[in-house]
Amino acid sequence: MLNILQIVFAIITVSLSAYLLITLDYDLTFLMVLFSGLFMLTKGIEAFQSERKVYGWLLIGLFLFAVYLSMYQFTASL
């Protein structure tokens, strides 16, 4: 299940990145950051399951920062 979520979040992130680069319209940047953060969350959970705690905490911290940044970008664009 985690592998499927990782693939889905990676595809969404890459698709949004390509769309933003092609159209040069950066209004959806907050979604790209959010989905890359969700990808990092799934990688962090996977790291915890494989007993790599430091790497897992780093990825969870990056997820929290990405969610904060995404919310900040969304509210700044209103």
Side-chain angles (χ1 to χ4, degrees), residues 3-58:
N3 289 334
I4 294 170
L5 283 175
Q6 287 177 6
I7 292 169
V8 168
F9 291 145
I11 288 172
I12 291 172
T13 302
V14 170
S15 300
L16 278 171
S17 300
Y19 173 77
L20 294 174
L21 283 173
I22 291 169
T23 63
L24 298 176
D25 181 22
Y26 300 110
D27 290 337
L28 298 177
T29 306
F30 70 94
L31 283 177
M32 183 187 66
V33 173
L34 177 67
F35 283 113
S36 64
L38 289 171
F39 175 75
M40 286 183 248
L41 175 66
T42 56
K43 291 297 280 186
I45 293 170
E46 183 180 279
F48 275 118
Q49 289 176 347
S50 65
E51 300 296 324
R52 297 184 311 193
K53 302 254 186 251
V54 175
Y55 185 61
W57 281 116
L58 174 70

